[in-house]
Amino acid sequence: MKDSSISDEFYPEGGLNTASYDLRADLDRKIFEDPIPFYTRLATSLAHENGVLELGCGTGRISAAIAKLGVAIEGIDLSPAMLGQARANYPDLTWHLGNMCDFDLGRQFDLVIIPFRGLQEVTEATDQRRVLERAFAHLKPGGAIALDLMDPDLRYCLPEGDPEHVELPIFPMPEGVGQPGSRLRITAMERTNDPLTQKFSEHWRFEEINDQGDVITREDCWHHLRWVHRNEMRLMLELSGFVSISEFSDFQGNPPKYASNQVWMAKRPD
């Protein structure tokens, strides 16, 4: 397995996966709770003269929603392909190509956010700590961090993994991609787990198909992530220097609940 703490292999340049990311994210927001209102509320209430920094900004959707409300924001991402989309879609915003485990922008922010389970894209526990330490260093005294993770359901974290295939609804082809009239079929293939390191890998297949269902183009990608237990997450925040740590099961502030979401907020001391 390549270490996604250091490199990105899931979002290839010019690939169907990268081009269709926003389509899948929109579907995710319809099926599950939408995180964007949570992060925009935080930004408008907590960000003042120093603005917001988004780690793992991807195609820039959350940063753009925050900027639309008049809040200054910058984004950093490891993937040149995803950052290319952000720069193309939102050219007026500030984007940084870099590793959120090891970066120095030379300034501090009011708020640092890591949305859409971005910390889990970092597949080494030591590197997850480094992300939090870098976030701490980029916060002004009294500044806040907010992030969300999935809370692992241990029934699905067993060594045998999950061989089941799940096909998503058929998507239209992203603008400017593929042949006229073709559509996009996305299938979640097998999943493998390593309970010792808390790492899992998901195999995703992206296919451009014609009206008869024939495959024109096929792209296979492997997504590597690491699950984080609640007590582990709290300890990492404490060891990184954060205080006033709060945890929730959703973006509405409800109490922690097993196998739900983990939504965290914490502060750098004044």
Side-chain angles (χ1 to χ4, degrees), residues 5 76 97-104 127 130-131 134 138:
S5 301
I76 185 170
L97 178 63
N99 188 339
M100 61 180 168
C101 304
D102 182 19
F103 70 98
D104 184 358
D127 285 341
R130 292 171 64 203
V131 172
R134 288 286 80 210
H138 283 78

Side-chain angles (χ1 to χ4, degrees), residues 1 150 153-163 190-202 225 227:
M1 175 191 298
M150 67 172 190
D153 186 331
L154 297 181
R155 294 175 298 173
Y156 304 107
C157 299
L158 300 174
E160 55 265 32
D162 184 359
E190 73 277 5
R191 168 177 165 157
T192 60
N193 299 322
D194 182 352
L196 180 64
T197 60
Q198 297 170 210
K199 295 179 184 180
F200 61 101
S201 294
E202 298 173 336
L225 303 104
W227 69 79

